[in-house]
């Protein structure tokens, strides 16, 4: 075997070892609990505090505007918020502007509701999807039950216990928009700014930097960004779930990559110095 062939074989073996180490780093946190803890960001704490400050029985509007393509980041975040609402005996009014996410949202809502024995219509309302975007938000601001005369299950919203005292968005103390697209800005312009309710947001990590100015202008009262934002909320809720495990896997993989980079550079420098001495 020539020297070049031997070098290529070593590279191939090294690559396989690296893949194996990365796979172990990703899988281990989902099998064994790790002592990794996360300090929640100030914006996550503010969003959590706004929900915590609501009195039991208060309505809270949750707009889950994403589909399975963004499930890895936004599903754990949404589930944690729903669990917090039901734990605090709030009445979530759940809707979406994304028709493609309806089945996923229904599954998530029923999972959280079953954990606390909550009933549709009495403890929460799944309003489902209506077309219209900003026009729908404006209609909700005038007459919420007119915009959604029936819920997702085709039950009339008029007279539902979970909607008692809620005629429009003006009766909503807090709304939470969790979006993979640009609907957060829509909720700010046509919801918060017109009807005065507090608005918090959750989004994918790539969108978060675009929303920071709205925190500075107080148009958002809190922000959860990506998987880290979901893990922050789970930490505040004191219920570690998939987001916390995902962040542990991500952190462990980052540490591994850093160690591999350092090790490779040390190896290169040792060989180079050894070669200089021989020369």
């Amino acid at each position: 075997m020539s020297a070049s062939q031997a070098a290529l074989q070593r590279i191939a073996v090294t690559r396989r070892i690296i893949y194996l180490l990365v796979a172990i780093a990703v899988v281990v946190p989902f099998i064994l609990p790790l002592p990794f803890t996360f300090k929640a960001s100030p914006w996550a704490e503010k969003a959590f505090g706004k929900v915590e400050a609501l009195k039991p029985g208060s309505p809270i509007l949750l707009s889950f505007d994403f589909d399975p393509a963004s499930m890895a980041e936004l599903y754990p975040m949404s589930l944690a918020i729903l669990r917090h609402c039901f734990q605090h005996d709030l009445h979530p009014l759940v809707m979406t502007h994304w028709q493609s996410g309806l089945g996923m949202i229904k599954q998530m809502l029923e999972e959280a509701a079953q954990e606390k024995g909550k009933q549709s219509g009495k403890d929460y309302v799944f309003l489902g999807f209506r077309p219209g975007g900003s026009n729908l938000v404006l209609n909700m601001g005038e007459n919420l039950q007119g915009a959604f005369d029936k819920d997702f299950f085709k039950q009339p919203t008029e007279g539902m216990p979970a909607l008692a005292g809620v005629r429009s968005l003006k009766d909503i103390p807090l709304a939470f928009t969790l979006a993979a697209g640009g609907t957060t800005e829509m909720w700010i312009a046509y919801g918060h700014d017109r009807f005065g309710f507090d608005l918090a947001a959750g989004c994918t990590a790539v969108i978060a930097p675009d929303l920071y100015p709205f925190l500075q202008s107080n148009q958002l009262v809190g922000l959860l960004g990506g998987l880290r934002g979901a893990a922050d909320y789970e930490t505040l809720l004191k219920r570690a779930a998939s987001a916390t495990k995902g962040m542990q896997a991500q952190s462990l993989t980052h540490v591994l990559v850093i160690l591999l980079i350092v090790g490779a550079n040390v190896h290169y420098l040792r060989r180079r110095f050894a070669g200089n001495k021989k020369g």
Side-chain angles (χ1 to χ4, degrees):
M1 182 183 295
S2 65
S4 60
Q5 289 176 328
L8 289 173
Q9 187 176 19
R10 285 197 299 271
I11 292 173
V13 172
T14 303
R15 186 184 296 119
R16 293 189 182 97
I17 293 174
I18 292 173
Y19 290 161
L20 178 61
L21 290 174
V22 171
I24 292 172
V26 170
V27 171
V28 164
F30 291 92
I31 300 175
L32 301 173
L34 298 178
F36 290 4
T37 58
F38 305 98
K39 179 175 172 55
S41 70
W43 296 118
E45 289 180 345
K46 288 185 177 182
F48 184 89
K50 283 291 183 179
V51 178
E52 193 73 12
L54 295 177
K55 296 180 180 179
S58 299
I60 175 172
L61 180 66
L62 303 177
S63 183
F64 296 139
D65 302 323
F66 62 96
D67 60 16
S70 305
M71 190 172 178
E73 292 178 282
L74 296 181
Y75 189 97
M77 186 186 301
S78 304
L79 184 58
I81 294 169
L82 278 171
R83 283 171 170 164
H84 189 196
C85 291
F86 288 137
Q87 177 180 302
H88 203 48
D89 291 326
L90 302 178
H91 291 168
L93 315 180
V94 181
M95 61 170 293
T96 181
H97 290 282
W98 287 36
Q99 189 175 11
S100 55
L102 272 172
M104 174 193 63
I105 295 168
K106 176 178 178 291
Q107 175 186 337
M108 173 177 59
L109 180 55
E110 290 178 345
E111 178 184 349
Q114 288 172 4
E115 290 175 355
K116 292 293 184 180
K118 302 296 185 179
Q119 299 177 16
S120 177
K122 177 182 177 183
D123 303 300
Y124 69 92
V125 181
F126 184 23
L127 297 171
F129 166 82
R130 291 288 188 282
S134 57
N135 288 330
L136 175 63
V137 175
L138 291 173
N139 290 338
M140 293 170 66
E142 298 300 327
N143 186 348
L144 192 146
Q145 295 179 27
F148 288 91
D149 59 329
K150 293 182 180 180
D151 68 2
F152 176 81
F153 304 104
K154 309 301 181 185
Q155 299 299 312
T157 54
E158 185 70 32
M160 278 188 175
L163 284 170
V166 179
R167 302 303 303 175
S168 71
L169 291 179
K170 299 171 186 176
D171 301 313
I172 300 291
L174 176 65
F176 225 123
T177 168
L178 293 101
T183 51
T184 299
E185 289 90 336
M186 179 187 69
W187 275 108
I188 291 172
Y190 297 97
H192 166 273
D193 290 355
R194 287 176 177 262
F195 303 109
F197 54 83
D198 286 336
L199 180 66
C203 62
T204 55
V206 70
I207 294 176
D210 295 333
L211 299 181
Y212 290 150
F214 298 112
L215 293 167
Q216 304 300 327
S217 64
N218 296 319
Q219 290 170 293
L220 289 176
V221 297
L223 177 65
L224 307 177
L227 190 64
R228 175 56 195 270
D232 284 349
Y233 210 93
E234 289 179 358
T235 299
L236 293 167
L237 195 58
K238 298 180 180 178
R239 180 170 178 171
S242 59
T244 301
K245 292 178 181 178
M247 280 303 301
Q248 290 176 345
Q250 190 178 102
S251 300
L252 191 60
T253 304
H254 286 168
V255 171
L256 173 63
V257 170
I258 292 170
L259 291 176
L260 289 172
I261 292 172
V262 172
N265 280 277
V266 169
H267 178 67
Y268 167 77
L269 291 173
R270 286 181 61 186
R271 293 191 62 183
R272 183 173 180 180
F273 290 147
N276 288 341
K277 288 181 180 180
K278 289 181 181 179

